[in-house]
Each structure stands twice: as C-alpha cells, then as structure tokens.
Amino acid sequence: MPSLSYQRQSTPLAARQQRVLPGFGISLGVSLLFFSLILLLPASGLIMQTSQMSWQEYWFAITDPRIVASYKVTAGAALIASLLNGVIGLLFAWVLVRYDFAGKRLVDALVDLPFALPTAVAGVTLATLYADNGWIGSVLANFGIQVAYTPLGIVIAMMFTSLPFVVRTVQPVLEEISQEEEEAGTVLGASDAAVFWRIILPTIKPALLVGVALSFTRSLGEFGAVIFIAGNMPYVSEITSLMIFVRLQEFDFPAASAIASVILMASLSLLFAINLWQGRYLKRIHGR
C-alpha cells in the first residue's frame, strides 16, 4: 500500500514538472513562430529571389568559372580546417575534462571566444599576426612559410571560428564516460592506444563527427574572419561568401541568391546526412 500511495503522489508531481512552462500548444506555437521568423523566412526570401531567374540564368550564375573556383577554395579550406579541428578539438576537450591545472576555467572560457568576438575583428587580428611583419608571420617567414593572403590563411581563419563546435560537442560526452571501463581494459592488459580506439573512440565518435560536420558547415559560410587574411585573389583565394558579397554590391540579387543557395543546399545535405547516420548509429547501439 505505501508503494501505491507513493505512485499516486509521484504521478501528479511528474505532470506538474512537465507543465512548468506553458502548455504544449502555446510552447509549440511560440517555437514554430520564432523558427519561421529566424530560419524559414530568410530561406523563403532566398527562394523568391532565385525564382526570378530561368534555369539557364540560374545555371550560368552558379557555374561561372570564377564562382566554381571559389567553391573549390571554400570547400577545400573548410574540409582541411574541420579535419584539423577534429583532432585539436578532441585534444582540447580531453585536457579540459581529464586534467586539473591552474587557469583551467579561463582556458575553458576562452574556447568560446570565437562566438563572442566579431568575425571582422578576428580577421583583422589574424591578418596582423600572420602577416610577414607580424609576430607569428615574421617567424614563419624565416622558414619560407607565408600564411596571410594565401589559402593557408583561409584555413587558419576557418579553424579559429569553428573550433568551439568540436570542443563543445565532444566535451560533455567525455565527461559522461565512466573511467571504470578504461581501468578494466588496462587491468586486462590493453595498451593506452587500445583503450582509446576500442573504448573511448566508439563512445565519442557520434559527437566528434557532429562537431566536425558543424565545423565544416560553419566554415562554408564564413566571411568576416576570412576576407581580411585571404588576399581575395581570383581563382586562388576567393571564397564563395565574397562572391556573394560582390554580386550584392553589383545589385545582382538573383545571382547572389543563386550562389547562396548552393552553399545552403550543401550545408543542409551534410547536416541531414550526419543526423541520419547518428540516428541509425544510436539505434544500432541501443538495439544491442
């Protein structure tokens, strides 16, 4: 009988906890309203602009040789930056989770600096630091390495702006990993590398891939941090965001929307594929 009375008391409590915020209808309506204003409305404007073009005009706008070259520069730099962020972000998250050191909270807060810092300010700062007469660029110049105003500078800028996506997606997963499993593997004679590849990596792999994908998609649309350090040389260091800006400066809004639609479709396709894979992966894991 005590258990039944406890169950009767706990059920209304759980229901009240679900209704702390307004009811389902109001919450869903407000969420969809803001979702529409922030995401769907701009996307609809993009579609309306491109709908003014014929298929031939649309194809000509997105396949111009200079635009195609910007696709290659942007996608290539974003891929390199996201892969490097996958390694560096994992190490960063590992240090923040597994070690205690002086200034840990400060370092943890600095991870989010790219979110708070205006991208234009980041671009100017990176260009100043990595120029041939800058603090870092002057040292690299002694070894014949030029960063500013080259595709390498684009990679550096993209890494700076998108690194937090990897760290913040991997960090909470690492915090939830039980160290008892690692200790059990070590007791059974597994090396540190085997423990990482067979115990730790399978657990964090979904979060790591999502972080890398977010880093890639963020880099595809980066503008402010890149244009100041890229050099913006046609067919060499022009990014797609810059080409969109150029078309807007020319008041060619349909062409700008057409180019933007390519980046939008690429980003959405990647995010959809990652979410689909993650859902199947988690389903397979729980099915076991």
Side-chain angles (χ1 to χ4, degrees):
M1 292 301 295
S3 61
L4 292 177
S5 61
Y6 174 78
Q7 184 178 4
R8 293 174 181 174
Q9 294 176 359
S10 61
T11 301
L13 178 60
R16 287 198 302 271
Q17 290 176 348
Q18 293 179 356
R19 294 196 299 266
V20 171
L21 294 178
F24 172 75
I26 298 177
S27 301
L28 180 62
V30 173
S31 301
L32 292 178
L33 174 61
F34 280 93
F35 178 80
S36 301
L37 293 176
I38 296 175
L39 294 178
L40 295 183
L41 189 59
S44 301
L46 187 67
I47 295 174
M48 291 178 61
Q49 287 289 344
T50 55
S51 64
Q52 300 176 10
M53 309 173 66
S54 65
W55 170 251
Q56 289 78 10
E57 292 173 337
Y58 177 82
W59 183 254
F60 178 79
I62 65 175
T63 58
D64 181 86
R66 188 174 174 183
I67 302 299
V68 174
S70 72
Y71 295 154
K72 296 178 180 179
V73 172
T74 304
L79 179 61
I80 296 173
S82 59
L83 292 177
L84 292 175
N85 277 345
V87 177
I88 298 174
L90 174 59
L91 292 176
F92 223 121
W94 181 270
V95 170
L96 291 176
V97 171
R98 294 301 178 92
Y99 298 100
D100 292 324
F101 53 91
K104 178 179 178 179
R105 292 186 177 180
L106 177 61
V107 174
D108 193 17
L110 289 176
V111 172
D112 297 324
L113 179 63
F115 290 153
L117 189 67
T119 55
V121 175
V124 172
T125 303
L126 291 174
T128 303
L129 290 175
Y130 284 97
D132 290 341
N133 57 351
W135 291 352
I136 303 176
S138 59
V139 177
L140 295 177
N142 296 328
F143 299 94
I145 302 175
Q146 183 179 0
V147 176
Y149 316 122
T150 66
L152 181 57
I154 299 177
V155 174
I156 297 296
M158 289 181 175
M159 289 180 61
F160 174 81
T161 56
S162 60
L163 178 63
F165 288 100
V166 179
V167 178
R168 293 312 186 199
T169 54
V170 174
Q171 186 176 359
V173 179
L174 281 175
E175 292 175 348
E176 295 178 358
I177 295 179
S178 174
Q179 296 190 18
E180 295 179 355
E181 299 180 359
E182 302 175 34
E183 295 174 355
T186 304
V187 170
L188 293 175
S191 63
D192 292 341
V195 170
F196 175 78
W197 287 105
R198 297 185 179 183
I199 298 177
I200 299 176
L201 186 60
T203 303
I204 66 174
K205 183 168 65 173
L208 181 61
L209 288 178
V210 170
V212 171
L214 292 175
S215 174
F216 180 79
T217 54
R218 176 67 176 85
S219 299
L220 285 180
E222 183 53 46
F223 177 71
V226 174
I227 58 171
F228 292 100
I229 195 174
N232 306 321
M233 295 179 59
Y235 301 95
V236 177
S237 58
E238 278 185 336
I239 59 173
T240 306
S241 298
L242 175 62
M243 300 310 302
I244 297 173
F245 180 75
V246 170
R247 293 294 182 266
L248 291 175
Q249 292 292 99
E250 297 171 351
F251 299 99
D252 193 352
F253 299 114
S257 300
I259 301 171
S261 68
V262 175
I263 299 298
L264 179 62
M265 288 187 292
S267 301
L268 291 179
S269 299
L270 178 61
L271 291 176
F272 178 77
I274 288 294
N275 287 330
L276 183 62
W277 172 85
Q278 187 180 26
R280 292 183 177 180
Y281 178 84
L282 294 176
K283 184 177 180 180
R284 185 172 68 252
I285 294 297
H286 292 303
R288 294 179 181 179

